[in-house]
Amino acid sequence: MKLTEQILTNPQSAPAPLDNRITLAYGDGIGREIMESTLAILDAAGAGLEYDTIKIGKEMYLEGHASGISPEAWDVLRRNKAFLKGPITTPQGGGYKSLNVTIRKTLGLYANVRPCRAFTPYVKSHFPDMDLVVIRENEEDLYAGIEHQQTAEVVQCLKLVSRPGCERLIRYAFEYARAYGRRKVTCMTKDNIMKHTDGLFHQVFDEVAKEYQDIEADHYIIDIGAAMLADSPGRFDVVVTLNLYGDIISDITAQVAGSVGLGGSANIGSHISMFEAIHGSAPDIAGKGLANPSGLINAACMMLAHLGKGRIAERIQNALLCTLEEGIHTADLYNEAFTKQKVSTSGFTQAVIQRLGQEPSRLKAVRMGQQSKPIEVQVKPYVRPDKKLVGVDVFIDWADGNRIPAELGHQLEKLAGEALQLKMITNRGVKVYPDGFPETFCTDHWRCRFVASASKVDAQGSGMAYAAPVAYSDITNLLQRLTIAGLNFIKIENLYEIDGERAYSLGQGE
Ligand code: ATP
């Protein structure tokens, strides 16, 4: 085992961003109205923030900036620790790129945090006891955006999951639970199927959980976990999960809580973090004074807590709850039973400001726990493991004749050479050679697994083909023989043993 230790926290030394000066962008649609409301409340509550304003969104897209942001805006964004962002409208068509994805990836915003709380009876929800936070990995997984068409019939999307990516996120989830006085962190994965990618996430979760004995930790398979979230969300507290699952369940939970219009979210990075409402730019009501600013106000409160101003966030959120329970509602929240006064965006803003310092009597008041201290996450140094090459999966585009796997198998056995042997062929993960079933449907995409040849294994005195090392030149020589034989290989995946453990999945039926 190599004892090279790697410290994986922020290799580039970026200058420390500023705490009291934030970047803000009004955005499109109702953006200006709700941002003005939020800023008025922040100022009235004594947040003591200064602002650098940047332009993003529709105007920037139409000026020709493909990601909806001008190049100069990046310098401002990188100078400040927090970015409060209004909703934006992405024009239809024209190959525009998502601004959120661009910002998330460029600035390394690794955790998406979305609290979901029910505000019954003022906002309808079947689950009055619901009060949970979804913390979703934000950069990896299928969202790395690496997709390829490989054959006429088959396309693929790479699911990338990294140890430091998992660790940073999962540590953030536990630190968040501690800082915000939450008692439990639930991990959701599909590691019964994806043993290596989701398996790594679950494994790192178990490792990190041991360091937080004061916080309860449990795990659900994502399908049953999502069903539970929809059926009995009150049993959850903090949920931490991979990117795709998190994307889906955070929408489910916001919907189930009934609070899509009130929700805020944070995208947390090591240097810079972005805060926004979860709703869109609502162009249908823009400029009419009808917009509910609560989503952005809640996002701004998450920002205050992140900046170490938790007490001010608490004051604002409690004033917001008082306004809600006193029946002072914007049009979207109007209901006969509880609305006493239907107000405009500015009327709502004034009502919140007037209630700063008050606490709600029916709704549970917000208590920030120790959260006036910003959350710091350090990924631990780790020992790089031993990595041994033990074979290769060669993916071949083959549609000859009736696609009889044995024909391809016999040809590959002859081409395997001295150093390698063909172990199996799978089609869409199912073993079709040797000993496949004729019923298995075969596409034109064949995964052909080669391992060290029997003679090489015997020479090593090892009983198991997988245990014998393979040289990189054995693989390049094989690829050359395949090419000369007219076989069209699409890609290869090397098979490794990592610290003596098989580090790849077996084919179904292997
Ligand atoms: P996007 O694709 O940007 O998410 P969308 O049209 O799917 O846009 P929203 O912009 O969130 O979603 O609007 C959905 C509905 O909710 C619209 O009828 C809109 O008027 C309403 N809505 C959204 N946000 C608010 C708000 N803050 N206050 C009042 N109504 C809102």
mmCIF file of all heavy atoms in Angstrom, residues 30-64:
data_model
loop_
_atom_site.group_PDB
_atom_site.id
_atom_site.type_symbol
_atom_site.label_atom_id
_atom_site.label_comp_id
_atom_site.label_asym_id
_atom_site.label_seq_id
_atom_site.Cartn_x
_atom_site.Cartn_y
_atom_site.Cartn_z
ATOM 1 N N ILE A 30 -40.786 38.462 -11.599
ATOM 2 C CA ILE A 30 -41.071 39.089 -10.300
ATOM 3 C C ILE A 30 -39.800 39.366 -9.497
ATOM 4 O O ILE A 30 -39.874 39.811 -8.350
ATOM 5 C CB ILE A 30 -42.023 38.197 -9.451
ATOM 6 C CG1 ILE A 30 -41.415 36.794 -9.273
ATOM 7 C CG2 ILE A 30 -43.401 38.141 -10.069
ATOM 8 C CD1 ILE A 30 -42.166 35.919 -8.274
ATOM 9 N N GLY A 31 -38.633 39.067 -10.096
ATOM 10 C CA GLY A 31 -37.363 39.178 -9.376
ATOM 11 C C GLY A 31 -37.172 40.511 -8.670
ATOM 12 O O GLY A 31 -36.842 40.558 -7.483
ATOM 13 N N ARG A 32 -37.414 41.623 -9.399
ATOM 14 C CA ARG A 32 -37.155 42.945 -8.801
ATOM 15 C C ARG A 32 -38.055 43.170 -7.585
ATOM 16 O O ARG A 32 -37.599 43.592 -6.531
ATOM 17 C CB ARG A 32 -37.338 44.054 -9.851
ATOM 18 C CG ARG A 32 -37.037 45.439 -9.304
ATOM 19 C CD ARG A 32 -36.691 46.408 -10.394
ATOM 20 N NE ARG A 32 -35.409 46.171 -11.011
ATOM 21 C CZ ARG A 32 -34.241 46.623 -10.529
ATOM 22 N NH1 ARG A 32 -34.188 47.305 -9.408
ATOM 23 N NH2 ARG A 32 -33.121 46.362 -11.170
ATOM 24 N N GLU A 33 -39.345 42.839 -7.723
ATOM 25 C CA GLU A 33 -40.284 43.075 -6.615
ATOM 26 C C GLU A 33 -39.899 42.292 -5.361
ATOM 27 O O GLU A 33 -39.856 42.834 -4.257
ATOM 28 C CB GLU A 33 -41.709 42.648 -7.025
ATOM 29 C CG GLU A 33 -42.282 43.441 -8.179
ATOM 30 C CD GLU A 33 -43.280 42.627 -8.984
ATOM 31 O OE1 GLU A 33 -44.386 42.377 -8.467
ATOM 32 O OE2 GLU A 33 -42.968 42.246 -10.129
ATOM 33 N N ILE A 34 -39.593 41.013 -5.552
ATOM 34 C CA ILE A 34 -39.328 40.206 -4.352
ATOM 35 C C ILE A 34 -37.947 40.532 -3.780
ATOM 36 O O ILE A 34 -37.742 40.457 -2.573
ATOM 37 C CB ILE A 34 -39.526 38.693 -4.598
ATOM 38 C CG1 ILE A 34 -38.605 38.158 -5.690
ATOM 39 C CG2 ILE A 34 -40.976 38.386 -4.900
ATOM 40 C CD1 ILE A 34 -38.670 36.633 -5.842
ATOM 41 N N MET A 35 -37.012 40.930 -4.639
ATOM 42 C CA MET A 35 -35.687 41.298 -4.121
ATOM 43 C C MET A 35 -35.765 42.600 -3.336
ATOM 44 O O MET A 35 -35.177 42.722 -2.256
ATOM 45 C CB MET A 35 -34.680 41.407 -5.272
ATOM 46 C CG MET A 35 -33.250 41.649 -4.828
ATOM 47 S SD MET A 35 -32.549 40.291 -3.835
ATOM 48 C CE MET A 35 -32.043 39.152 -5.112
ATOM 49 N N GLU A 36 -36.515 43.579 -3.862
ATOM 50 C CA GLU A 36 -36.645 44.850 -3.132
ATOM 51 C C GLU A 36 -37.287 44.612 -1.769
ATOM 52 O O GLU A 36 -36.874 45.187 -0.761
ATOM 53 C CB GLU A 36 -37.460 45.858 -3.958
ATOM 54 C CG GLU A 36 -36.576 46.506 -5.012
ATOM 55 C CD GLU A 36 -37.333 47.347 -6.038
ATOM 56 O OE1 GLU A 36 -38.585 47.378 -5.973
ATOM 57 O OE2 GLU A 36 -36.660 47.940 -6.904
ATOM 58 N N SER A 37 -38.288 43.741 -1.743
ATOM 59 C CA SER A 37 -38.943 43.416 -0.476
ATOM 60 C C SER A 37 -37.929 42.790 0.495
ATOM 61 O O SER A 37 -37.829 43.185 1.668
ATOM 62 C CB SER A 37 -40.086 42.433 -0.760
ATOM 63 O OG SER A 37 -40.409 41.716 0.387
ATOM 64 N N THR A 38 -37.160 41.832 -0.017
ATOM 65 C CA THR A 38 -36.203 41.109 0.835
ATOM 66 C C THR A 38 -35.137 42.064 1.381
ATOM 67 O O THR A 38 -34.795 42.017 2.566
ATOM 68 C CB THR A 38 -35.545 39.975 0.012
ATOM 69 O OG1 THR A 38 -36.592 39.141 -0.487
ATOM 70 C CG2 THR A 38 -34.589 39.152 0.837
ATOM 71 N N LEU A 39 -34.646 42.944 0.529
ATOM 72 C CA LEU A 39 -33.591 43.863 0.969
ATOM 73 C C LEU A 39 -34.126 44.826 2.024
ATOM 74 O O LEU A 39 -33.426 45.154 2.991
ATOM 75 C CB LEU A 39 -33.023 44.643 -0.224
ATOM 76 C CG LEU A 39 -32.306 43.793 -1.296
ATOM 77 C CD1 LEU A 39 -31.738 44.690 -2.391
ATOM 78 C CD2 LEU A 39 -31.210 42.925 -0.698
ATOM 79 N N ALA A 40 -35.382 45.254 1.839
ATOM 80 C CA ALA A 40 -35.966 46.169 2.832
ATOM 81 C C ALA A 40 -36.043 45.469 4.194
ATOM 82 O O ALA A 40 -35.740 46.074 5.238
ATOM 83 C CB ALA A 40 -37.364 46.595 2.373
ATOM 84 N N ILE A 41 -36.405 44.194 4.177
ATOM 85 C CA ILE A 41 -36.517 43.450 5.448
ATOM 86 C C ILE A 41 -35.127 43.220 6.055
ATOM 87 O O ILE A 41 -34.928 43.371 7.264
ATOM 88 C CB ILE A 41 -37.288 42.127 5.212
ATOM 89 C CG1 ILE A 41 -38.743 42.451 4.880
ATOM 90 C CG2 ILE A 41 -37.200 41.221 6.433
ATOM 91 C CD1 ILE A 41 -39.546 41.276 4.342
ATOM 92 N N LEU A 42 -34.158 42.873 5.215
ATOM 93 C CA LEU A 42 -32.795 42.664 5.721
ATOM 94 C C LEU A 42 -32.284 43.942 6.389
ATOM 95 O O LEU A 42 -31.695 43.902 7.473
ATOM 96 C CB LEU A 42 -31.848 42.275 4.571
ATOM 97 C CG LEU A 42 -31.973 40.854 4.007
ATOM 98 C CD1 LEU A 42 -31.068 40.686 2.784
ATOM 99 C CD2 LEU A 42 -31.610 39.811 5.057
ATOM 100 N N ASP A 43 -32.499 45.060 5.733
ATOM 101 C CA ASP A 43 -32.018 46.331 6.293
ATOM 102 C C ASP A 43 -32.730 46.651 7.600
ATOM 103 O O ASP A 43 -32.103 47.015 8.587
ATOM 104 C CB ASP A 43 -32.209 47.480 5.281
ATOM 105 C CG ASP A 43 -31.192 47.390 4.148
ATOM 106 O OD1 ASP A 43 -30.229 46.598 4.286
ATOM 107 O OD2 ASP A 43 -31.360 48.090 3.125
ATOM 108 N N ALA A 44 -34.064 46.466 7.601
ATOM 109 C CA ALA A 44 -34.833 46.790 8.811
ATOM 110 C C ALA A 44 -34.422 45.891 9.982
ATOM 111 O O ALA A 44 -34.472 46.307 11.142
ATOM 112 C CB ALA A 44 -36.328 46.629 8.530
ATOM 113 N N ALA A 45 -33.997 44.657 9.667
ATOM 114 C CA ALA A 45 -33.628 43.720 10.740
ATOM 115 C C ALA A 45 -32.190 43.947 11.206
ATOM 116 O O ALA A 45 -31.716 43.276 12.119
ATOM 117 C CB ALA A 45 -33.807 42.284 10.244
ATOM 118 N N GLY A 46 -31.496 44.858 10.563
ATOM 119 C CA GLY A 46 -30.125 45.175 10.987
ATOM 120 C C GLY A 46 -29.097 44.175 10.494
ATOM 121 O O GLY A 46 -28.122 43.874 11.196
ATOM 122 N N ALA A 47 -29.312 43.620 9.288
ATOM 123 C CA ALA A 47 -28.359 42.629 8.765
ATOM 124 C C ALA A 47 -26.988 43.261 8.485
ATOM 125 O O ALA A 47 -25.977 42.559 8.489
ATOM 126 C CB ALA A 47 -28.925 41.986 7.498
ATOM 127 N N GLY A 48 -26.959 44.554 8.254
ATOM 128 C CA GLY A 48 -25.676 45.251 8.059
ATOM 129 C C GLY A 48 -24.912 44.779 6.839
ATOM 130 O O GLY A 48 -23.689 44.666 6.881
ATOM 131 N N LEU A 49 -25.625 44.491 5.764
ATOM 132 C CA LEU A 49 -24.949 43.988 4.558
ATOM 133 C C LEU A 49 -24.783 45.106 3.526
ATOM 134 O O LEU A 49 -25.596 46.024 3.453
ATOM 135 C CB LEU A 49 -25.776 42.854 3.926
ATOM 136 C CG LEU A 49 -25.938 41.588 4.756
ATOM 137 C CD1 LEU A 49 -26.901 40.633 4.052
ATOM 138 C CD2 LEU A 49 -24.599 40.901 4.985
ATOM 139 N N GLU A 50 -23.725 44.975 2.744
ATOM 140 C CA GLU A 50 -23.556 45.859 1.586
ATOM 141 C C GLU A 50 -23.691 44.989 0.340
ATOM 142 O O GLU A 50 -23.436 43.787 0.399
ATOM 143 C CB GLU A 50 -22.184 46.507 1.627
ATOM 144 C CG GLU A 50 -22.041 47.482 2.780
ATOM 145 C CD GLU A 50 -20.646 48.052 2.814
ATOM 146 O OE1 GLU A 50 -19.788 47.413 3.440
ATOM 147 O OE2 GLU A 50 -20.435 49.086 2.185
ATOM 148 N N TYR A 51 -24.046 45.630 -0.772
ATOM 149 C CA TYR A 51 -24.401 44.826 -1.940
ATOM 150 C C TYR A 51 -23.627 45.219 -3.192
ATOM 151 O O TYR A 51 -23.446 46.402 -3.472
ATOM 152 C CB TYR A 51 -25.900 44.977 -2.230
ATOM 153 C CG TYR A 51 -26.764 44.701 -1.012
ATOM 154 C CD1 TYR A 51 -27.422 45.739 -0.354
ATOM 155 C CD2 TYR A 51 -26.895 43.413 -0.518
ATOM 156 C CE1 TYR A 51 -28.204 45.500 0.768
ATOM 157 C CE2 TYR A 51 -27.679 43.170 0.607
ATOM 158 C CZ TYR A 51 -28.326 44.211 1.243
ATOM 159 O OH TYR A 51 -29.096 43.958 2.353
ATOM 160 N N ASP A 52 -23.194 44.209 -3.940
ATOM 161 C CA ASP A 52 -22.682 44.410 -5.297
ATOM 162 C C ASP A 52 -23.707 43.784 -6.229
ATOM 163 O O ASP A 52 -23.997 42.582 -6.112
ATOM 164 C CB ASP A 52 -21.351 43.668 -5.495
ATOM 165 C CG ASP A 52 -20.217 44.351 -4.765
ATOM 166 O OD1 ASP A 52 -20.189 45.593 -4.750
ATOM 167 O OD2 ASP A 52 -19.356 43.638 -4.205
ATOM 168 N N THR A 53 -24.244 44.574 -7.146
ATOM 169 C CA THR A 53 -25.299 44.039 -8.018
ATOM 170 C C THR A 53 -24.729 43.609 -9.361
ATOM 171 O O THR A 53 -23.926 44.329 -9.957
ATOM 172 C CB THR A 53 -26.373 45.121 -8.246
ATOM 173 O OG1 THR A 53 -26.804 45.572 -6.964
ATOM 174 C CG2 THR A 53 -27.562 44.579 -9.000
ATOM 175 N N ILE A 54 -25.128 42.417 -9.798
ATOM 176 C CA ILE A 54 -24.737 41.955 -11.147
ATOM 177 C C ILE A 54 -26.003 41.685 -11.968
ATOM 178 O O ILE A 54 -27.085 41.479 -11.404
ATOM 179 C CB ILE A 54 -23.857 40.678 -11.110
ATOM 180 C CG1 ILE A 54 -24.595 39.512 -10.421
ATOM 181 C CG2 ILE A 54 -22.513 40.944 -10.459
ATOM 182 C CD1 ILE A 54 -23.920 38.169 -10.610
ATOM 183 N N LYS A 55 -25.811 41.677 -13.277
ATOM 184 C CA LYS A 55 -26.947 41.383 -14.163
ATOM 185 C C LYS A 55 -26.843 39.938 -14.630
ATOM 186 O O LYS A 55 -25.784 39.510 -15.101
ATOM 187 C CB LYS A 55 -26.891 42.293 -15.378
ATOM 188 C CG LYS A 55 -27.482 43.662 -15.143
ATOM 189 C CD LYS A 55 -27.697 44.341 -16.486
ATOM 190 C CE LYS A 55 -28.010 45.797 -16.291
ATOM 191 N NZ LYS A 55 -27.750 46.557 -17.513
ATOM 192 N N ILE A 56 -27.948 39.234 -14.528
ATOM 193 C CA ILE A 56 -28.001 37.869 -15.042
ATOM 194 C C ILE A 56 -29.360 37.671 -15.694
ATOM 195 O O ILE A 56 -30.248 38.498 -15.530
ATOM 196 C CB ILE A 56 -27.847 36.805 -13.912
ATOM 197 C CG1 ILE A 56 -28.915 37.053 -12.825
ATOM 198 C CG2 ILE A 56 -26.454 36.781 -13.333
ATOM 199 C CD1 ILE A 56 -29.083 35.877 -11.898
ATOM 200 N N GLY A 57 -29.508 36.555 -16.407
ATOM 201 C CA GLY A 57 -30.834 36.184 -16.879
ATOM 202 C C GLY A 57 -31.123 36.589 -18.308
ATOM 203 O O GLY A 57 -30.230 36.731 -19.138
ATOM 204 N N LYS A 58 -32.414 36.811 -18.548
ATOM 205 C CA LYS A 58 -32.920 36.982 -19.906
ATOM 206 C C LYS A 58 -32.130 38.022 -20.710
ATOM 207 O O LYS A 58 -31.703 37.770 -21.840
ATOM 208 C CB LYS A 58 -34.386 37.415 -19.823
ATOM 209 C CG LYS A 58 -35.149 37.210 -21.093
ATOM 210 C CD LYS A 58 -36.626 37.392 -20.824
ATOM 211 C CE LYS A 58 -37.395 37.304 -22.125
ATOM 212 N NZ LYS A 58 -38.802 37.605 -21.926
ATOM 213 N N GLU A 59 -31.893 39.200 -20.095
ATOM 214 C CA GLU A 59 -31.208 40.273 -20.802
ATOM 215 C C GLU A 59 -29.808 39.827 -21.247
ATOM 216 O O GLU A 59 -29.367 40.100 -22.365
ATOM 217 C CB GLU A 59 -31.109 41.470 -19.850
ATOM 218 C CG GLU A 59 -30.731 42.752 -20.515
ATOM 219 C CD GLU A 59 -30.517 43.874 -19.474
ATOM 220 O OE1 GLU A 59 -31.167 43.851 -18.407
ATOM 221 O OE2 GLU A 59 -29.672 44.740 -19.754
ATOM 222 N N MET A 60 -29.127 39.113 -20.346
ATOM 223 C CA MET A 60 -27.767 38.652 -20.670
ATOM 224 C C MET A 60 -27.794 37.565 -21.754
ATOM 225 O O MET A 60 -26.954 37.535 -22.643
ATOM 226 C CB MET A 60 -27.082 38.101 -19.410
ATOM 227 C CG MET A 60 -26.799 39.142 -18.370
ATOM 228 S SD MET A 60 -25.551 40.330 -18.929
ATOM 229 C CE MET A 60 -26.543 41.728 -19.370
ATOM 230 N N TYR A 61 -28.784 36.683 -21.665
ATOM 231 C CA TYR A 61 -28.927 35.646 -22.707
ATOM 232 C C TYR A 61 -29.104 36.326 -24.060
ATOM 233 O O TYR A 61 -28.444 35.996 -25.035
ATOM 234 C CB TYR A 61 -30.137 34.751 -22.435
ATOM 235 C CG TYR A 61 -29.945 33.658 -21.413
ATOM 236 C CD1 TYR A 61 -30.667 33.633 -20.221
ATOM 237 C CD2 TYR A 61 -29.050 32.599 -21.644
ATOM 238 C CE1 TYR A 61 -30.512 32.614 -19.291
ATOM 239 C CE2 TYR A 61 -28.893 31.567 -20.714
ATOM 240 C CZ TYR A 61 -29.627 31.593 -19.543
ATOM 241 O OH TYR A 61 -29.472 30.581 -18.636
ATOM 242 N N LEU A 62 -30.017 37.308 -24.082
ATOM 243 C CA LEU A 62 -30.340 37.942 -25.358
ATOM 244 C C LEU A 62 -29.191 38.820 -25.872
ATOM 245 O O LEU A 62 -29.079 39.083 -27.060
ATOM 246 C CB LEU A 62 -31.645 38.742 -25.256
ATOM 247 C CG LEU A 62 -32.874 37.863 -24.937
ATOM 248 C CD1 LEU A 62 -34.129 38.700 -24.764
ATOM 249 C CD2 LEU A 62 -33.098 36.771 -25.998
ATOM 250 N N GLU A 63 -28.301 39.238 -24.962
ATOM 251 C CA GLU A 63 -27.110 39.976 -25.406
ATOM 252 C C GLU A 63 -26.068 39.043 -26.002
ATOM 253 O O GLU A 63 -25.014 39.475 -26.441
ATOM 254 C CB GLU A 63 -26.478 40.715 -24.219
ATOM 255 C CG GLU A 63 -26.986 42.129 -24.081
ATOM 256 C CD GLU A 63 -26.241 42.905 -22.997
ATOM 257 O OE1 GLU A 63 -25.075 42.591 -22.709
ATOM 258 O OE2 GLU A 63 -26.867 43.819 -22.453
ATOM 259 N N GLY A 64 -26.319 37.737 -25.898
ATOM 260 C CA GLY A 64 -25.422 36.771 -26.534
ATOM 261 C C GLY A 64 -24.551 35.999 -25.565
ATOM 262 O O GLY A 64 -23.653 35.255 -25.976
#
